[in-house]
């Protein structure tokens, strides 16, 4: 079997972990993602995951409650580590070998981020979870995903969402919205489409890392993508 993508970076938002609960971590969602990721490992795909934290805390919320933005951002980054530990546990239960890496040093829980070491883990078939964001405030985990995808030489950045691709308008609000199968980086900008924040998007664009936005909740999508099936929206 031929693999279209051999080394992938999967971005999972914190929100995707909360499921229907509206907050925190939903265990059935967690198990679903773990099983989907493990199925890729079984095919010989090298999988790195960047996990978000929006199910627990976002820096932008901080200012409303009188907390300084930078402090709020650190709270958000710590939230991603909580999610990372949860995902690590679920993946290990699913039979994967996993290394949790944190951009904020926390050696009792996670390895520090050392690029060459992370790549070595991937080569050995371990799932690598990048938590702690970039380690710096004012960024998002989308930007982290773009940064790490570049650093580890990922063939593709897979952005798992609850919709099945990029639409001309928000499909949850506008019934007339149409889905794109393929877009160029230039199209995304000229059509003012919302794929990722600009910092993340620019990093991918300047370095030619393609992005696929797809429905992560549909079982089997990840496997289909790495085998070359055209699913979701490809930005290249
Ligand atoms: N964050 C940050 N720097 C980073 C990544 C994340 O400060 O490099 C903070 C930021 O406050 C953000 C929060 O962590 O709101 C959670 O990340 P994000 O909102 O990207 O999570 P997601 O939307 O993927 O759940």
């Amino acid at each position: 079997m031929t693999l279209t993508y051999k080394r992938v970076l999967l971005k999972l938002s914190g929100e995707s972990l909360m499921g229907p609960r509206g907050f925190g971590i939903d265990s059935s969602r967690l198990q679903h993602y773990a099983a989907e990721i493990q199925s890729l490992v079984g095919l010989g795909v090298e999988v790195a995951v960047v996990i978000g934290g929006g199910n627990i805390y976002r820096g932008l919320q901080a200012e409303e409650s009188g907390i300084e933005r930078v402090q709020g951002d650190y709270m958000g980054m710590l939230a991603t580590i909580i999610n990372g530990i949860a995902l690590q546990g679920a993946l290990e239960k699913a039979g994967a070998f996993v290394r949790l890496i944190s951009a904020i040093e926390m050696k009792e829980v996670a390895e520090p981020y050392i690029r060459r070491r992370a790549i070595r883990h991937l080569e050995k078939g371990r799932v690598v979870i990048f938590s702690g964001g970039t380690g710096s405030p004012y960024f998002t985990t989308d930007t982290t995903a773009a940064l790490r995808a570049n650093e580890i030489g990922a063939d593709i950045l897979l952005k798992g969402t609850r919709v099945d691709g990029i639409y001309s308008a928000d499909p949850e609000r506008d019934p007339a919205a149409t889905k794109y199968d393929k877009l160029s980086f230039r199209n995304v900008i000229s059509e003012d489409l919302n794929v990722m924040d600009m910092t993340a998007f620019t990093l991918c664009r300047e370095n030619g890392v393609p992005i696929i936005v797809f429905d992560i909740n549909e079982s089997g999508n990840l496997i289909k993508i790495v085998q070359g099936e055209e699913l979701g929206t490809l930005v290249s």
Side-chain angles (χ1 to χ4, degrees), residues 176-195:
T178 52
K179 180 179 162 257
Y180 297 102
D181 294 328
K182 280 187 184 149
L183 286 164
S184 64
F185 284 104
R186 193 187 300 265
N187 288 151
V188 170
I189 302 215
S190 63
E191 312 271 318
D192 198 19
L193 299 169
N194 189 13
V195 180

Side-chain angles (χ1 to χ4, degrees), residues 6 13 24 32 39 51 66 68 77 87 116 121 124 134 140 142 147 165 173-174 182 185 202 226 229:
K6 179 84 182 54
S13 73
H32 167 75
S39 68
I51 185 92
E68 201 192 312
M77 287 185 264
L87 183 62
R116 283 163 181 276
H121 289 322
K124 289 191 170 173
T134 60
T140 63
D142 276 359
L147 178 66
R173 284 187 204 152
D174 183 351
K182 280 187 184 149
F185 284 104
T202 305
V226 298
E229 203 171 303

Side-chain angles (χ1 to χ4, degrees), residues 32-50:
H32 167 75
Y33 298 136
E36 292 291 296
I37 292 167
Q38 176 62 353
S39 68
L40 290 189
V41 178
L43 289 181
V45 179
E46 297 176 8
V47 189
V49 183
V50 166

Side-chain angles (χ1 to χ4, degrees), residues 11-16 51-55 57-60 69-70 72-80 83 132-144 159:
K11 163 71 207 293
L12 274 183
S13 73
E15 273 182 5
S16 63
I51 185 92
N55 55 324
Y57 204 82
R58 279 184 207 281
L60 288 175
R69 165 73 193 263
V70 171
D73 280 342
Y74 277 107
M75 291 166 72
M77 287 185 264
L78 293 181
T80 71
N83 287 334
T134 60
S136 298
Y138 297 105
F139 290 105
T140 63
T141 51
D142 276 359
T143 299
T144 311
K159 184 170 156 93

